[in-house]
Each structure stands twice: as structure tokens, then as C-alpha cells.
Amino acid sequence: AQSVTQPDIHITVSEGASLELRCNYSYGATPYLFWYVQSPGQGLQLLLKYFSGDTLVQGIKGFEAEFKRSQSSFNLRKPSVHWSDAAEYFCAVDRGSGTASKLTFGTGTRLQVTL
Amino acid sequence: DGGITQSPKYLFRKEGQNVTLSCEQNLNHDAMYWYRQDPGQGLRLIYYSQIVNDFQKGDIAEGYSVSREKKESFPLTVTSAQKNPTAFYLCASSLTVNSNQPQHFGDGTRLSIL
């Protein structure tokens, strides 16, 4: 069965500093990988996705993520954090090509931004 | 504007009562999903539907029921058999049920027990 680990429950960064949120997955084949963001009391918004090809993917709001097969990781990065980035971030893995969706989420990382 | 509408935003249930959460989408998506979110946990799949008049149990279906009579609508009923219903419920949809179709989420319904 697939699984996702987000080892950091809570991260605090200063506005303007760089950010990296960690995500490790477990899946027997090549997965599809996603990062979602959730503001308090809101639904989830898709930041970016990886299916295949270039292992560095660009998303919305200046975020990017890098797929590293050897490390089973899909870390989310942003070079300069804005106060509006404060939210909860979820990494998710789905089964790969030719299958019905079974999206599995990590437990989330709450990002706090200090001014 | 296309999107997913969940209502109500807040819902209160008395002990022994069934309640129904609404989810409507105008994205013309075939697949729809219901998730439950508890503090400190990721989202867990309750039910999903690939097409009209079809639905499948997810990982935590006990105490819940759904219907899919229209493409646009996928209501979730939390029955009295669900012993711990207090949670944030999220509805999602995708173009098809294939895993290469990202899921889009509504803004959720928070259910509390009186």
C-alpha cells in the first residue's frame, strides 16, 4: 500500500527567507505526486503535480518541487516566502499510469511566517 | 465561475440524528469524492463515484452513505451509526477517475455534535 510521510508538523520561517517542506513516499512503482495548500477553514488548492519527465516541476505562487526517485522524496521549495504563504501544506501520492485514482495524503505541515 | 460548492459551511448534529452534506460541481467532472479531515491527520477517503449511479466505498465508509443521481451532485449522509462524526468534510471532483486527473476541492463543511 502507498503511504506519505511529512516529517515536519510545524515550520516557522521569516518573510523573505527560503522554504523547503519535506515529503517522502512509499509506493512500489512510479507514483503520481502532488502538493496541495490549505488555508484555515478552506478546501485544498493544487500547487503542483508530477507525473513523469523533468523531475523539477514548477507550480503556482512561485513554488517548485523536485522528484528524487532514489530518495523517494518530493520536497516543496520556494526561494522567498511571503506572509500570505502561511497555511497548511499537504503532499499526496497517487497510483501511476493506467490506474484509477487512490490519492493518499500526508498529515500536513503547518507553515508560519514571521514578519 | 466553475467550481465545487459545499453547503452548509457549518452543521450541527444531535445524537442519533442523520445529517446530509451537500456537494455540487459545475465543472462537468465525472468523478467525485468525499474525504474526512481530522486535526493532525491527512485526508481520508470516505466514498467516491466514477460516474452517475455508481459509487464505491473508500477507506472509512462505515457510518456514511452517498448517492449519485446526477452528475453535478454527490451528497453525503452521516448516519447515527457514525460514532465520531465531528470533523471537517471535503468534497472533491476530477475530470475522470484516472489517477492522472488532479482532484479539485470544495471549501468544506465542518460538522459538530451538540
Side-chain angles (χ1 to χ4, degrees):
Chain A
Q2 64 213 56
S3 65
V4 178
T5 301
Q6 293 182 247
D8 302 306
I9 296 173
H10 188 203
I11 283 183
T12 301
V13 300
S14 300
E15 189 175 39
S18 63
L19 171 71
E20 183 168 27
L21 302 182
R22 296 184 290 165
C23 173
N24 292 98
Y25 68 89
S26 173
Y27 183 62
T30 301
Y32 289 164
L33 296 160
F34 305 83
W35 274 100
Y36 285 88
V37 61
Q38 184 181 35
S39 297
Q42 301 293 312
L44 276 66
Q45 181 182 21
L46 180 67
L47 284 176
L48 48 78
K49 60 186 183 290
Y50 172 79
F51 291 160
S52 64
D54 193 346
T55 56
L56 184 64
V57 294
Q58 303 296 321
I60 62 171
K61 303 185 179 188
F63 286 93
E64 66 179 26
E66 185 172 13
F67 170 58
K68 292 186 177 180
R69 185 189 305 274
S70 61
Q71 299 177 21
S72 298
S73 68
F74 189 56
N75 294 349
L76 183 71
R77 301 194 294 247
K78 187 170 185 179
S80 179
V81 169
H82 188 262
W83 64 266
S84 60
D85 293 324
E88 189 146 25
Y89 292 80
F90 291 93
C91 181
V93 59
D94 207 339
R95 301 183 293 195
S97 175
T99 60
S101 177
K102 182 162 173 55
L103 201 56
T104 300
F105 288 86
T107 52
T109 297
R110 182 166 298 279
L111 174 65
Q112 183 177 357
V113 180
T114 58
L115 301 177
Chain B
D1 247 345
I4 301 173
T5 301
Q6 291 188 240
S7 62
K9 192 168 180 64
Y10 299 95
L11 188 56
F12 299 91
R13 195 191 87 169
K14 295 180 181 178
E15 295 284 349
Q17 190 178 51
N18 293 354
V19 290
T20 297
L21 284 60
S22 170
C23 178
E24 303 276 333
Q25 54 98 359
N26 60 4
L27 299 168
N28 201 32
H29 285 174
D30 282 331
M32 297 187 74
Y33 311 80
W34 274 106
Y35 292 91
R36 171 181 171 135
Q37 185 178 25
D38 295 284
Q41 298 190 35
L43 280 67
R44 292 181 290 168
L45 183 65
I46 304 172
Y47 268 98
Y48 68 98
S49 168
Q50 299 187 46
I51 56 172
V52 175
N53 293 322
D54 169 82
F55 49 84
Q56 306 293 330
K57 292 182 179 180
D59 299 320
I60 55 165
E62 186 175 350
Y64 300 98
S65 66
V66 294
S67 63
R68 185 87 186 276
E69 298 176 1
K70 298 187 300 181
K71 186 175 185 177
E72 302 80 17
S73 179
F74 190 41
L76 173 73
T77 296
V78 184
T79 74
S80 57
Q82 172 49 240
K83 297 308 177 188
N84 185 23
T86 297
F88 191 52
Y89 291 88
L90 287 159
C91 178
S93 71
S94 59
L95 189 61
T96 72
V97 79
N98 291 334
S99 56
N100 63 359
Q101 298 296 331
Q103 295 181 23
H104 302 264
F105 286 81
D107 283 341
T109 292
R110 186 167 300 279
L111 175 62
S112 302
I113 300 302
L114 291 177

